[in-house]
Amino acid sequence: TNTFNVDDPEAWTVGANIGFAGFTFGGSYQESDNILGDGAAYESWDVGATYERGSWGFMLSYAEDECTACGLITSDLNGETSAVQTGVDYSFGKNVSFGGGLQYKENETITDDEDSAVIYLETMISF
C-alpha cells in the first residue's frame, strides 16, 4: 500500500484582495490531501485587513487550520490551530521600512494544547 499520495496529490486554493482609499481587505481558503493518502485532509482559511496612511501601515489578520490524519507515526499532529496577528510599520522612503507586531496562537492536538505569543520586529532594506 502506498502511504503517500505523491502520484496524484489533490489541493485547491482560492483567495482575493480588494482595496479602496488606503484600506485592503482579503482572505483565502485552501483544501489539500496533504499527499498523505486516503483519509488525510488539510484545510485552512484566513482573513485580514491593512490600512496605509502616508508612511504608516497597520494590519490585523486571523487564520485557522485543521489537519486530519497528518501524523505519519503518531496522531500527535492531528489538530487545529488558530492565530491572530497585528502589526504596524513605518516607511523611511522607497527602500527602507521598519515594523513590528504581536501574534497570538492556539494549537490543539489530540495529545496536547499549546498557546504562544510572539512579539516581532522587522526591517526591510531593498536595493
Side-chain angles (χ1 to χ4, degrees):
T1 302
N2 184 6
T3 303
F4 296 100
N5 194 21
V6 294
D7 293 332
D8 191 21
E10 294 181 15
W12 67 275
T13 303
V14 63
N17 287 332
I18 187 166
F20 179 75
F23 288 94
T24 302
F25 300 95
S28 65
Y29 178 82
Q30 176 186 18
E31 283 186 8
S32 169
D33 65 5
N34 211 23
I35 73 163
L36 294 178
D38 294 336
Y42 176 79
E43 179 180 27
S44 67
W45 64 272
D46 62 74
V47 294
T50 62
Y51 176 69
E52 294 183 10
R53 174 123 176 128
S55 296
W56 289 95
F58 307 89
M59 65 82 67
L60 178 65
S61 66
Y62 180 81
E64 284 192 10
D65 68 21
E66 182 176 357
C67 196
T68 304
C70 291
L72 295 176
I73 299 171
T74 69
S75 60
D76 290 349
L77 297 177
N78 297 340
E80 298 179 16
T81 302
S82 61
V84 63
Q85 181 171 328
T86 186
V88 62
D89 65 62
Y90 184 81
S91 177
F92 295 95
K94 184 177 178 183
N95 298 328
V96 178
S97 68
F98 179 77
L102 173 68
Q103 180 186 66
Y104 177 75
K105 186 175 180 180
E106 293 180 346
N107 187 28
E108 299 176 6
T109 66
I110 292 173
T111 59
D112 197 11
D113 293 343
E114 298 174 344
D115 296 346
S116 62
V118 175
I119 296 172
Y120 64 91
L121 300 174
E122 60 188 9
T123 303
M124 192 234 5
I125 301 171
S126 62
F127 299 93

